[in-house]
Amino acid sequence: VTLHLNPISSVHIHQKPLVFVLNSPLPLVWKLKTERLAPGIQRVFFVSLGSVVQFEKGNFSLSAETEEKLFPEKNEQLLQWAQKEYGAVTSFTELKISRNIYIKVGE
């Protein structure tokens, strides 16, 4: 699955830390494609067991962290876990089948 990350239109270059929870019942390879995200900013990717994140060429991976995690089975429990860990969830998306996911990040 390719995860496309771009800032919202009102933000020229996104310069804040981000946390992503990428959960799947089966192990996946998450391919990351980014535009206009500042280098050197911490970005954390929690992935379900057996999954990996592949970064594009460049230095984005130097400031990104990937961690495998055993997530709750139900979406409601997963959302509660994320809220407890980070205090807020700005976006939650559930997809049954997808090859590309497009996410706008910003304020």
Side-chain angles (χ1 to χ4, degrees):
V1 174
T2 302
L3 185 61
H4 301 265
L5 303 177
N6 302 304
I8 57 175
S9 59
S10 62
V11 175
H12 181 64
I13 295 179
H14 189 270
Q15 300 187 41
K16 294 190 175 184
L18 295 168
V19 176
F20 291 91
V21 176
L22 306 173
N23 188 26
S24 173
L26 299 173
L28 285 179
V29 174
W30 296 91
K31 296 179 182 178
L32 202 61
K33 295 203 179 266
T34 64
E35 288 183 33
R36 301 183 355 250
L37 299 186
I41 305 295
Q42 182 186 26
R43 294 172 182 110
V44 179
F45 296 86
F46 289 106
V47 296
S48 45
L49 297 180
S51 294
V52 296
V53 177
Q54 288 182 348
F55 299 97
E56 293 178 290
K57 292 181 181 177
N59 62 358
F60 187 86
S61 64
L62 297 177
S63 58
E65 176 185 333
T66 303
E67 183 179 329
E68 284 186 65
K69 202 145 191 79
L70 178 60
F71 293 119
E73 287 186 35
K74 298 185 187 260
N75 284 336
E76 296 81 14
Q77 295 167 330
L78 180 61
L79 186 56
Q80 288 173 354
W81 171 83
Q83 288 172 327
K84 182 180 172 189
E85 288 289 315
Y86 295 98
V89 173
T90 57
S91 177
F92 185 93
T93 304
E94 177 186 9
L95 302 167
K96 297 293 183 194
I97 298 174
S98 182
R99 289 180 185 231
N100 291 283
I101 300 172
Y102 296 85
I103 297 178
K104 298 279 188 185
V105 297
E107 302 297 324

